[in-house]
Amino acid sequence: DQQVKQNSPSLSVQEGRISILNCDYTNSMFDYFLWYKKYPAEGPTFLISISSIKDKNEDGRFTVFLNKSAKHLSLHIVPSQPGDSAVYFCAASGKSGGSNYKLTFGKGTLLTVNP
Amino acid sequence: DVKVTQSSRYLVKRTGEKVFLECVQDMDHENMFWYRQDPGLGLRLIYFSYDVKMKEKGDIPEGYSVSREKKERFSLILESASTNQTSMYLCASSFGTLRGQYFGPGTRLTVT
């Protein structure tokens, strides 16, 4: 049972345009969401997060939107740059038998930003 | 800066061998995690530990065990490696109840 879903395995955008990566979740106990970025042969690095008490969080070119009623979040990158080309993982966390610091990851979306 | 290091970047082992993957973090984090990453499957949690000598099974613990004798070190053990354990293995750590995890560079393990 996949609790965090990234339905687009890949996305290609032009440099300077907006990239929108989507993520859906099924577990209503999730109360914290994160986005990680991963380059080949490197570990994932934390990008941005959002608590369920908010609906938007912004950090420079990156904005995460959360729609709790739809159990949907999205990551917007504006403007997109070639260096943003990477795999992006959505992750969710919530209380689960007391182990509330586990993360459940989606399968990832490969973003390619073309010059 | 948090640093999570893994003992090897690339490892090749034979079927049936016992394999040790070591992870060390230098920020006094309580929590440590082992994941594997496979194409099309994302990151899947194998085991995690929230204190020395404490461990909990993740989503795919079969065929693996772990050891945490010191706070900074978390080892993943493949008792008898099999070809379906060929994967990228990622270690991570986090502080207290903070949700963000810091990842190591990964170990690409090939079992032949």
Side-chain angles (χ1 to χ4, degrees), chain A residues 4-34:
Chain A
V4 177
K5 299 177 187 178
Q6 293 178 256
N7 291 320
S8 299
S10 63
L11 175 68
S12 183
V13 300
Q14 211 60 32
E15 181 178 5
R17 307 294 289 270
I18 184 171
S19 296
I20 300 176
L21 295 100
N22 293 303
C23 178
D24 298 293
Y25 62 96
T26 57
N27 189 339
S28 57
M29 298 300 290
F30 289 145
D31 61 358
Y32 197 84
F33 304 88
L34 307 91

Side-chain angles (χ1 to χ4, degrees), chain B residues 6-107:
Chain B
Q6 296 184 229
S7 49
S8 306
R9 294 300 302 270
Y10 300 94
L11 209 52
V12 179
K13 295 291 182 180
R14 292 197 179 275
T15 302
E17 278 192 83
K18 190 167 186 176
V19 181
F20 293 88
L21 302 182
E22 302 283 336
C23 175
V24 177
Q25 49 91 6
D26 66 358
M27 283 301 292
D28 204 34
H29 284 175
E30 290 89 346
N31 312 309
M32 297 188 75
F33 307 82
W34 274 107
Y35 295 88
R36 63 179 281 177
Q37 184 199 358
D38 300 288
L41 296 177
L43 274 70
R44 293 181 292 165
L45 182 63
I46 303 171
Y47 266 99
F48 68 103
S49 167
Y50 50 89
D51 201 353
V52 175
K53 296 191 187 294
M54 305 299 287
K55 62 185 179 185
E56 281 195 31
K57 291 180 180 179
D59 300 317
I60 51 163
E62 298 78 18
Y64 304 94
S65 62
V66 291
S67 171
R68 191 159 180 210
E69 297 295 320
K70 294 185 177 181
K71 191 174 186 180
E72 68 271 17
R73 189 180 296 268
F74 192 34
S75 302
L76 180 69
I77 303 154
L78 287 66
E79 294 290 341
S80 177
S82 64
T83 54
N84 63 12
Q85 292 178 310
T86 292
S87 186
M88 168 71 85
Y89 289 88
L90 293 158
C91 175
S93 71
S94 68
F95 179 72
T97 56
L98 296 180
R99 317 297 182 99
Q101 294 179 12
Y102 296 85
F103 283 82
T107 296

